[in-house]
Amino acid sequence: MSNTDILRTTEGDLLPPDYERNRVFELLIGTYQGRAEVDGFHPGTKEAIEICQSESSGSSPKPGQKRKLASDVLKLILLRDLGYISRGRVFVTSREMYTWCQQTGSWLNAARKQYDISVELRVHDNKKTRKKVRNALAAARREMQRAEEQKRDL
């Protein structure tokens, strides 16, 4: 099972009941056609949830984790603006990420407040699941570092 598959299977544990997993929206903006997938979607309320699984070992999240959170927020803003969803939430699994996101002064915090995108802390209840997520994230980081090193060596 790939790291992505491990992370996707554990996301379902964090979603509230009655939410569809991995909902794909077909986008049509002028002549542009595209797709946007959210981790959870409630068809009755049209609420979408993105899950930003991160495990920070320091006091501040890594730049890639911050970019992932920003990407999730931007996606929810777009879907809300286009009328596909009524509300968006992002679940983060790291206390450090949650604390960082609550800071004032960042454009990301201003954007999510302006568009009513909430960020909530949701920690896996099961220690075994938390360890599986930490290992998958660490393995994914190692794979990315190896790929970057190979590019530099070429």
Side-chain angles (χ1 to χ4, degrees), residues 69-121:
L69 179 62
S71 171
D72 287 345
V73 169
L74 182 59
K75 183 192 315 182
L76 293 172
I77 289 172
L78 174 67
L79 291 173
R80 183 168 172 239
D81 192 52
L82 293 173
Y84 289 101
I85 66 172
S86 62
R87 181 172 183 254
R89 292 191 284 170
V90 179
F91 292 170
V92 296
T93 60
S94 155
R95 292 186 201 296
E96 293 82 8
M97 178 69 86
Y98 177 77
T99 301
W100 175 81
C101 189
Q102 303 307 315
Q103 294 174 354
T104 58
S106 77
W107 70 266
L108 178 58
N109 204 25
R112 69 175 197 80
K113 286 181 182 290
Q114 174 68 29
Y115 291 95
D116 194 29
I117 305 296
S118 65
V119 173
E120 301 173 19
L121 178 62

Side-chain angles (χ1 to χ4, degrees), residues 19-134:
Y19 276 70
E20 296 176 12
R21 292 178 66 183
N22 306 320
R23 171 72 178 265
V24 177
F25 295 95
E26 299 294 332
L27 307 177
L28 181 58
I29 305 167
T31 59
Y32 174 79
Q33 293 182 9
R35 300 168 59 133
E37 182 177 355
V38 294
D39 297 322
F41 178 74
H42 193 281
T45 62
K46 291 179 63 178
E47 179 182 50
I49 296 174
E50 279 291 281
I51 299 173
C52 185
Q53 296 205 70
S54 61
E55 295 295 328
S56 298
S57 57
S59 61
S60 180
K62 295 183 182 334
Q65 294 169 329
K66 294 175 184 178
R67 285 190 297 273
K68 168 70 168 101
L69 179 62
S71 171
D72 287 345
V73 169
L74 182 59
K75 183 192 315 182
L76 293 172
I77 289 172
L78 174 67
L79 291 173
R80 183 168 172 239
D81 192 52
L82 293 173
Y84 289 101
I85 66 172
S86 62
R87 181 172 183 254
R89 292 191 284 170
V90 179
F91 292 170
V92 296
T93 60
S94 155
R95 292 186 201 296
E96 293 82 8
M97 178 69 86
Y98 177 77
T99 301
W100 175 81
C101 189
Q102 303 307 315
Q103 294 174 354
T104 58
S106 77
W107 70 266
L108 178 58
N109 204 25
R112 69 175 197 80
K113 286 181 182 290
Q114 174 68 29
Y115 291 95
D116 194 29
I117 305 296
S118 65
V119 173
E120 301 173 19
L121 178 62
R122 296 289 171 106
V123 180
H124 290 287
D125 294 332
N126 183 320
K127 278 186 177 183
K128 187 175 180 181
T129 302
R130 284 196 306 269
K131 184 175 182 180
K132 188 188 299 186
V133 168
R134 257 193 321 276

